[in-house]
Amino acid sequence: MGRARPIVLDTKAFAKAGDARIFFSEMLQRYSPGDRVNDEDAAHLKALLRRHDEEADKVGSGISHITVGPAPDYFNQQCFWINRTDGTRIDFSYQHCLEKKPYD
């Protein structure tokens, strides 16, 4: 069995990546499509987004707020959406953010 891979964010630390995956999956399931994520959850998501290899492209002009909506590439699934300060939106995958990075 492999060694546990901790995930450390600015807002929360997880002993292993699987714990982080469960945390963000449960967060996503608490919301319905179109819901705006509350401030506490948004803080965790913004910290998680720092692990995304395309963070600058995802954030763009800045984050106004985060919502939940249909996943563009997966039928009948939902994902988080960044609503930017310039009025544009883009989806992001919490799972992508949790993938093993060179510095993990």
Side-chain angles (χ1 to χ4, degrees):
M1 184 177 283
R3 205 176 61 150
R5 184 172 53 90
I7 300 289
V8 179
L9 308 176
D10 291 342
T11 59
K12 192 166 182 65
F14 302 91
K16 53 190 179 190
D19 294 341
R21 190 171 311 280
I22 290 168
F23 177 82
F24 287 104
S25 174
E26 289 176 349
M27 178 189 294
L28 181 61
Q29 298 310 312
R30 285 196 302 267
Y31 295 96
S32 297
D35 285 351
R36 184 174 177 156
V37 172
N38 70 39
D39 291 343
E40 181 180 351
D41 288 345
H44 292 308
L45 290 168
K46 289 174 186 176
L48 177 66
L49 190 57
R50 291 188 193 106
R51 293 179 50 87
H52 200 292
D53 56 344
E54 297 174 2
E55 176 191 9
D57 293 331
K58 294 291 184 179
V59 172
S61 63
I63 298 173
S64 169
H65 59 281
I66 299 173
T67 55
V68 170
D73 297 329
Y74 299 96
F75 178 73
N76 209 19
Q77 291 188 23
Q78 58 187 25
C79 67
F80 294 107
W81 285 82
I82 297 168
N83 296 262
R84 298 181 184 127
T85 57
D86 66 2
T88 61
R89 300 179 41 184
I90 192 166
D91 66 300
F92 83 97
S93 166
Y94 72 86
Q95 294 177 10
H96 180 87
C97 297
L98 294 172
E99 291 173 0
K100 187 172 174 77
K101 306 293 182 217
Y103 51 82
D104 281 347

